[in-house]
Amino acid sequence: QFVSAHGLTGERLLEHADPSKVIYSFLLVEATPAGNYIRVQADNFAAPFDFNRSVKLELGSTAKLRTVTHYLELMTELHGELSRLEPKQLARRGQAARDPLTRWAVETLQNDKSLALQPFLDAAMARKYSASPYEDFFTGGGVHRFENFDKEENGHILALRDAFRNSTNLVFIRLMRDLVSYHRARLAYDSADVLANPANPERQKMLQEIGEEESRQALRRAYQHYANQAPAEIVRRVLGKGNTERRLTILFFAWRIGASESDLKAWFEKNHTTLSDTELSTLYRAYQNPRLTLADYGYLLSLHPLEVWTAGELRKQPNLAWEKLFVASAEVRRIASAWLFHDRNRRAQDLRLRIRMEKDAFQRMTPYWQRLGFPFKTMVPTYATAIGSSSDRPVALAELVGILVNDGVRRPSVSLTDVHFAAGTPYETILERSSDPGEQVIAPEIARTVRRAMADVVEQGTARRLNGVFKMSDGKVITVGGKTGSGDNRFQTFSRSGAVTSSRATNRTATFVFYIGERYFGVLTAYVQGREAEHYGFTSSLPVTLLKILAPTLLAKFDKSFQQPTPAVEKVAPAEQSSKPIRSSTSRPTVAATAH
């Protein structure tokens, strides 16, 4: 009844899906000089789990907020670095630039050397990118293609501020490519020379590391697949499907079961396979070549050579520990990766080096994101991080908006200001929170630029249904800004041609991270877990609409003259009643333990 009465059955909302399956979380924080006071922290997840702080979710296009903030950070760095240079120095810097962002910054300052930081950032938000989805991107270890939510934008070239307002995916994919290029150009090695020069010592060092990493991963996968299996089961798993007699012969020589034809015959008998003497002799002569290496046998079995070797070792010792197996594999790992260093495999080398360089660029980028509240140690090295692939947490998103609301100052979040124990007794104790002025982590100009972009999202972008909703009793409209994000997360399989052959929903998310006026900010998230997500089609329109429904309640707190609609009376179960009322103070947050 509530869903229907509030129009939540519309398109991109709950439609006709079961509303009881949706998990909601809401966080509202007030920015004060003493810290960010948590005013509301709630969810309807029926378990002892803090959905705002402890969950890891792909929150879709809310990642564009992090991406554009980081972009402006780099632009601020470039402005500070380049604006001090003389014209000739600036020209040389432009000629030596190896990334698009630096080249643009040089050209902009050459046109107007006196350009201050704020107009420089405004110009940076006016940079234009194509929204075309008809381009292949090599990122995340392979070739990817991306789509826009609104197909009408496919042929457009958009200013970055407009793409942020409309949440245009392909613009942000291309922006992330430029960000990666910026960081790649500032790595400790010359990435261009590493790719172009086979004799570059850093290239050889990196290839050695890549070969070792790939070998370790292959060995680990094989160990997990064959560990604690009976010898007969290991043989069955290695054989798989195909010509059993041929594969048994290859295993015989790969594992060096014996040397003679009679040994091979005994091997067949042990594995319940009967051959004529002629067939046995033919197979023996075909594969007994002593020049064949483990890599050759892996190729003949269509298996990684380290898988063949690991299966053989575990066949002899089913309970062999991983540590001992790894130590014993040193020579085998060298043999397995030797192919990578041949000159004829230059293309395979360059492919791996490009993947490695992208990873290194993201490692360089990660501390910037972490300083602004990104909650994880690593980022997923792919351009798709700009649209959510590195995941996030609701509280971490709110922390970023708190920095923006506080003009670039990162302040602590405050749940308690003081705790008072044993009042009126000899053991009375008062613990008070020490003051923390916070840390300036980005320039105020960055914060103001991003806040304006977020306000555009509400005024005429993807959250425009909130435009003008927060109106005070005197008619003044409170400025609201935000960023929407949706995640339809699926496990998909593809044919060789790239067509989707199966698709299974894993979860669905919709998020709106926002600020209200100069003091309040927060995040509202809707989430459905597992296969149930198949039945839902909501987007970020859902949390935006929910915030609109909450607006009268929030306005009643912001504006004492505001007349809130009279709520329905809610009965409190006896177990939830308290013997003493808890009085809330508007000057500081209070905490009450409530039975549920």
Side-chain angles (χ1 to χ4, degrees), residues 383-443:
Y383 300 159
T385 281
I387 56 176
S389 286
S390 284
S391 300
D392 218 319
R393 286 182 175 138
V395 70
L397 271 175
E399 183 176 3
L400 171 58
V401 179
I403 293 170
L404 300 174
V405 168
N406 287 312
D407 267 349
V409 177
R410 182 177 184 174
R411 292 197 174 110
S413 295
V414 179
S415 297
L416 293 167
T417 54
D418 58 77
V419 184
H420 192 170
F421 293 106
T425 75
Y427 306 101
E428 183 171 10
T429 303
I430 299 176
L431 302 177
E432 294 183 337
R433 187 183 185 92
S434 59
S435 62
D436 186 339
E439 175 189 5
Q440 188 83 43
V441 291
I442 56 173

Side-chain angles (χ1 to χ4, degrees), residues 181-233:
S181 180
Y182 176 94
H183 288 288
R184 176 172 157 173
R186 288 158 177 77
L187 294 173
Y189 53 84
D190 185 339
S191 58
D193 191 65
V194 166
L195 285 173
N197 182 9
N200 185 302
E202 188 67 30
R203 177 187 178 96
Q204 299 305 313
K205 177 175 175 288
M206 291 170 68
L207 287 174
Q208 290 285 353
E209 293 172 353
I210 291 167
E212 175 62 22
E213 181 183 357
E214 288 186 357
S215 294
R216 184 185 181 95
Q217 289 174 351
L219 193 75
R220 188 65 169 175
R221 285 194 300 269
Y223 180 79
Q224 292 171 341
H225 187 62
Y226 295 106
N228 301 314
Q229 300 293 327
E233 175 62 18

Side-chain angles (χ1 to χ4, degrees), residues 23-25 43 45 49-63 66 369 374-376 380 385 387-397 485-489 506-511 523-530 538:
I23 298 169
Y24 298 100
S25 68
D43 63 61
F45 187 61
F49 180 81
D50 187 339
F51 201 84
N52 281 294
R53 294 184 179 276
S54 302
V55 73
K56 181 177 183 179
L57 295 174
E58 184 178 311
L59 298 178
S61 290
T62 54
R66 293 199 184 279
W369 282 45
F374 183 68
F376 308 118
V380 179
T385 281
I387 56 176
S389 286
S390 284
S391 300
D392 218 319
R393 286 182 175 138
V395 70
L397 271 175
S486 306
D488 177 17
N489 304 304
T506 56
N507 62 64
R508 190 172 193 91
T509 63
T511 305
V523 61
L524 204 160
T525 302
Y527 172 72
V528 177
Q529 171 66 30
F538 62 77

